[in-house]
Amino acid sequence: MSRIEETFGRLRSRGEKALVGFITAGDPDCTRSLEITRQMCRSGVDLLELGVPFSDPTADGPVIQRSSARAIGAGMNMKNVMEMVRRIRGFSSIPIVLFSYYNPILAYGTEKFYGDAVVAGADGTLVVDLPPEESDELTDVWGKDLDFIRLVAPTTPPERMARIASKASGFIYLVSMIGITGSSGLNSEQTAAVANDLKKNCNGLPVCIGFGISTPDDAAKVSQFADGVVVGSAFERLIESGLQDKDIAEKVGEFAARLKGEMKKEWVSG
Amino acid sequence: MKPAENNSTIASFPVQNQAVPDSRGHFGPYGGRYVAETLMPALIELESAYMSLCVEPAFQAELNLLLKDYAGRPTPLFCARRLSANAGGALIYLKREDLAHTGAHKINNTLGQALLARWMGKTKVIAETGAGQHGVATATAAALFGMECKIFMGTEDIARQAPNVQRMKLLGAQVVPVDSGTGTLKDAMNEAMRYWVGSVRDTFYVIGSVAGPHPYPAMVRDFQRVIGDEAKAQIMEAEGRMPDMLVACVGGGSNAMGLFHPFIQERSEMVGVEAAGCGISTGKHAATLGAGSVGVLHGSKSYVLQDENGQIKEAHSISAGLDYPGVGPEHSWLKDTGRVRYESVLDEEALHAFHLLSSVEGIIPALESSHAVARALVEASRMPAEKIVIVNLSGRGDKDLGIVEKLKAR
């Protein structure tokens, strides 16, 4: 059983939903980024998504665009992402998903990426711009030691959801709305309807919902109809607002704790 | 329904019998669809709409009529005797895409895509633009069809191609400035894709080159091949034989693909000309095929300019339309198979050709097309007088007068 499966199993038995925290690896720099992940792990984040920065992130809004640019400027690259995973393993056994566009993986070498990610201690990969139609070239050269998380969007028809799920492992990432990351206008009723369609078509894989979830209230609402909630731009917005702060990692940790706290409250009262 | 009119050199649409791409949009190892899931259903819908409409007689007839009466096709094939004398070798013909409505070949594609959008019931179109020619051509088609139009354009390009910005606004389009990255074509395309992710249900994305995810590279090629189909018929009429060489500039590569495609099965040599900018060794260039490596950018696998970490590099060219670190996937395939030879031309060589063509033939070429002219002069000079070269004069140079004046003043 993979670490991701185990985590969802454990949370389910406790009646909890997963808080999936996304940050761009290396933002604002390698040292502080590692400290931020440490605080996130301590403060209720159940699963960590590390974004591999890319120069042309076409599925991301301005917040993650800027965070990627800062990370690249600070020298973050795939080799350093692997090193960061290794260091996180020094203090936490949290499941780690590497979240990347395809080109940095292609440039690093697809087989090398798989081998290095497994050795470093990563548990899964999500490649934003690699739909199932194109992903065989990657998964064909991979073993089974990395879960392959796949995206489903509100535009995805049900029969396509089933096809995507049949090639996925770990969990399914449901995009909450038609738009890029960090968009406003989350409509939890509409998202709930798509999530229900997906649950009928996802082979029992956990469903985590992300994009546009920016407050503890949003997280609590969405967690009612998901197995997990992904928060990304909101963490990055916080990091961006505290580029000069010495205690930025603590602030990110506090925010994570508030998100998780609100999600637990919702679960108990709901 | 009325069948397509068969006007010898005009009715060139659609294309049959294609070996590439395969059913998933691959040209050998290139092409494909590397996009976020949100866009996948839209691309699948677009592909199926295109596949059924491109063989629909009423659609063909409407497009062919527009190409003739609105865009002014066929464009002439002009025998440039004074330019040829200057090169001192082969006879150079110019395919005058600069004489098409809006001043470049871009209108062939935007009329096709806007018509497709209308048949699909979409009322809003968006596009990216570099030099502004594709933006103008999209805004033109949108005005003609009464569609709402947004054009994404880098701030650097807005500054250097001001006349085209004014034209787009006059045509009723909203020009959205993009200041991320270097504020050029790549960034405009990033932003157009982001906007499309959020508006995909009612918006049609008119991509201007043979780039992007499937079906765009094949579809844009098909809409542009009218250039080559006409040139083939025209050279047969003028010379009674196929040309020995075809020369066209390559940014994303739509004008080159349009000219080349109908000749792929012929024996004519083909030369694609990239922008060498300040020189490939300086790193300030846009020679993606000449100096790039295989990667994924803007939805397809192709050659790209990138660093060792897979970060896309900034391109540089004096010509905004060639200033792009990617290239259409079919060009990558044609490079690898050796069917097309790709060369590059420096900013200053292109400028020289710009002035030369203006002064000896009375034709002011776009800076993009000037790259093709510059290379054609070199190629022609190495060929005997009885050989024939066709150069795609993809656009006119009025939009570039500001840049050229500024450089002169330096």
Side-chain angles (χ1 to χ4, degrees):
Chain A
M1 191 187 274
S2 78
R3 192 148 31 195
I4 294 175
E5 269 179 85
E6 255 174 53
T7 300
F8 280 104
R10 194 179 61 244
L11 288 169
R12 198 173 291 138
S13 70
R14 294 208 304 247
E16 273 181 44
K17 301 303 178 77
L19 173 60
V20 182
F22 169 98
I23 56 150
T24 303
D27 176 33
D29 55 53
C30 298
T31 314
R32 280 192 284 175
S33 189
L34 187 68
E35 192 48 37
I36 287 167
T37 61
R38 191 197 303 270
Q39 293 298 336
M40 289 169 89
C41 293
R42 277 185 192 158
S43 314
V45 170
D46 300 299
L47 202 147
L48 197 60
E49 275 188 2
L50 281 186
V52 177
F54 180 49
S55 53
D56 295 76
T58 50
D60 284 299
V63 173
I64 293 181
Q65 288 171 45
R66 289 195 297 268
S67 82
S68 303
R70 282 193 299 271
I72 292 169
M76 186 48 74
N77 56 27
M78 196 65 85
K79 189 168 151 265
N80 292 338
V81 170
M82 298 298 176
E83 179 57 27
M84 190 166 165
V85 173
R86 226 181 332 268
R87 295 209 184 165
I88 293 170
R89 281 290 164 257
F91 58 76
S92 174
S93 59
I94 193 170
I96 299 174
V97 173
L98 299 177
F99 188 105
S100 185
Y101 286 82
Y102 190 34
N103 203 50
I105 295 178
L106 205 54
Y108 191 73
T110 49
E111 287 175 72
K112 184 172 159 56
F113 174 87
Y114 175 80
D116 289 2
V118 170
V119 169
D123 303 289
T125 302
L126 190 161
V127 190
V128 196
D129 54 352
L130 196 68
E133 283 82 350
E134 305 292 347
S135 63
D136 287 352
E137 64 182 56
L138 195 75
T139 50
D140 281 356
V141 299
W142 283 13
K144 299 276 175 216
D145 293 331
L146 270 189
D147 280 326
F148 202 88
I149 289 93
R150 291 183 188 267
L151 289 162
V152 164
T155 51
T156 310
E159 64 279 8
R160 185 173 166 84
M161 288 178 176
R163 239 180 314 137
I164 292 171
S166 72
K167 294 184 123 189
S169 55
F171 63 92
I172 304 271
Y173 189 132
L174 173 63
V175 175
S176 69
M177 61 174 92
I178 299 177
I180 50 179
T181 58
S183 300
S184 58
L186 178 71
N187 180 326
S188 45
E189 272 167 42
Q190 279 173 15
T191 309
V194 182
N196 282 333
D197 282 345
L198 177 56
K199 280 178 193 159
K200 290 176 211 145
N201 288 289
C202 71
N203 277 340
L205 279 172
V207 173
C208 294
I209 300 179
F211 281 41
I213 298 168
S214 59
T215 64
D217 191 44
D218 291 342
K221 257 190 215 144
V222 172
S223 70
Q224 286 178 283
F225 48 84
D227 301 293
V229 174
V230 189
V231 177
S233 292
F235 281 120
E236 282 299 341
R237 222 172 272 128
L238 200 58
I239 293 170
E240 184 165 54
S241 71
L243 291 177
Q244 311 306 327
D245 285 3
K246 281 216 178 71
D247 57 348
I248 185 62
E250 284 78 13
K251 282 185 181 157
V252 171
E254 281 161 28
F255 182 59
R258 277 173 51 216
L259 289 166
K260 183 70 186 186
E262 202 63 31
M263 284 164 68
K264 278 187 183 164
K265 228 192 276 175
E266 192 68 41
W267 182 251
V268 173
S269 67
Chain B
M1 276 179 210
K2 238 175 77 184
E5 285 174 64
N6 195 4
N7 295 343
S8 60
T9 62
I10 300 161
S12 57
F13 189 81
V15 188
Q16 312 289 345
N17 192 17
Q18 300 166 355
V20 286
D22 68 14
S23 61
R24 290 187 306 143
H26 293 116
F27 302 86
Y30 304 113
R33 269 194 279 238
Y34 297 85
V35 296
E37 173 59 22
T38 308
L39 295 180
M40 281 302 289
L43 290 170
I44 293 166
E45 180 201 0
L46 173 61
E47 181 191 9
S48 94
Y50 173 64
M51 294 307 278
S52 59
L53 283 177
C54 75
V55 292
E56 164 70 47
F59 179 86
Q60 294 171 2
E62 194 172 357
L63 179 55
N64 285 329
L65 195 65
L66 281 170
L67 288 175
K68 175 169 165 281
D69 294 344
Y70 186 73
R73 303 207 72 90
T75 59
L77 183 71
F78 172 68
C79 182
R81 295 196 182 277
R82 300 213 332 130
L83 184 74
S84 306
N86 204 286
L91 187 60
I92 300 173
Y93 278 86
L94 302 175
K95 180 60 176 162
R96 299 289 309 275
E97 291 302 297
D98 60 317
L99 293 177
H101 181 41
T102 72
H105 71 292
K106 295 291 186 188
I107 192 79
N108 305 330
N109 171 47
T110 59
L111 287 174
Q113 287 196 46
L115 195 60
L116 184 58
R118 204 185 67 191
W119 279 63
M120 289 173 73
K122 310 265 177 182
T123 55
K124 296 176 183 172
V125 295
I126 57 166
E128 82 294 338
T129 197
Q133 291 300 120
H134 175 59
V136 167
T138 303
T140 299
L144 179 66
F145 292 142
M147 291 172 171
E148 201 180 308
C149 178
K150 271 193 177 63
I151 305 292
F152 294 84
M153 189 171 187
T155 46
E156 163 73 16
D157 289 338
I158 287 177
R160 60 178 165 170
Q161 306 279 212
N164 275 342
V165 177
Q166 285 171 317
R167 292 166 79 197
M168 285 183 269
K169 287 180 179 165
L170 268 174
L171 292 161
Q174 184 196 348
V175 179
V176 182
V178 177
D179 61 5
S180 58
T182 43
T184 58
L185 181 53
K186 176 191 82 147
D187 311 297
M189 195 149 176
N190 284 342
E191 211 50 44
M193 286 185 82
R194 288 182 189 120
Y195 182 85
W196 198 37
V197 170
S199 64
V200 65
R201 284 217 162 118
D202 65 354
T203 300
F204 188 105
Y205 182 11
V206 182
I207 292 183
S209 196
V210 287
H214 179 61
Y216 285 99
M219 181 170 74
V220 175
R221 173 195 73 191
D222 293 352
F223 285 135
Q224 289 294 1
R225 69 165 284 164
V226 64
I227 303 170
D229 283 329
E230 285 176 7
K232 212 170 178 179
Q234 289 164 324
I235 199 72
M236 283 306 287
E237 199 178 321
E239 297 282 349
R241 68 179 186 88
M242 285 295 138
D244 299 287
M245 184 183 282
L246 305 168
V247 184
C249 64
V250 177
S254 70
N255 89 80
M257 199 54 70
L259 176 66
F260 292 170
H261 197 66
F263 289 92
I264 296 271
Q265 307 301 330
E266 307 292 342
R267 305 179 78 164
S268 313
E269 195 184 345
M270 298 179 186
V271 180
V273 186
E274 296 190 296
C278 304
I280 290 183
S281 61
T282 66
K284 293 183 75 178
H285 64 82
T288 308
L289 291 163
S293 54
V294 177
V296 167
L297 175 66
H298 295 150
S300 61
K301 191 184 275 182
S302 195
Y303 281 79
V304 294
L305 296 177
Q306 59 184 330
D307 70 12
E308 68 279 10
N309 295 316
Q311 309 298 352
I312 307 304
K313 282 192 195 166
E314 291 163 4
H316 167 83
S317 170
I318 189 177
S319 114
L322 303 182
D323 200 347
Y324 182 60
V327 68
E330 191 167 7
H331 282 292
S332 293
W333 178 233
L334 291 170
K335 172 194 157 82
D336 284 7
T337 59
R339 181 63 190 91
V340 178
R341 170 159 59 91
Y342 293 89
E343 303 283 351
S344 61
V345 156
L346 295 165
D347 283 351
E348 58 186 272
E349 294 169 327
L351 264 177
H352 169 76
F354 175 91
H355 288 292
L356 182 70
L357 187 63
S358 302
S359 62
V360 303
E361 298 285 4
I363 297 170
I364 302 172
L367 282 173
E368 290 77 11
S369 323
S370 300
H371 286 72
V373 174
R375 186 65 207 179
L377 288 166
V378 174
E379 299 286 344
S381 74
R382 295 172 182 170
M383 297 161 80
E386 67 273 16
K387 298 284 185 184
I388 299 166
V389 175
I390 296 180
V391 179
N392 198 5
L393 203 72
S394 55
R396 69 179 185 219
D398 311 45
K399 69 184 177 65
D400 295 316
L401 298 182
I403 304 175
V404 173
E405 281 306 307
K406 215 159 114 191
L407 286 167
K408 234 183 188 172
R410 243 191 246 162

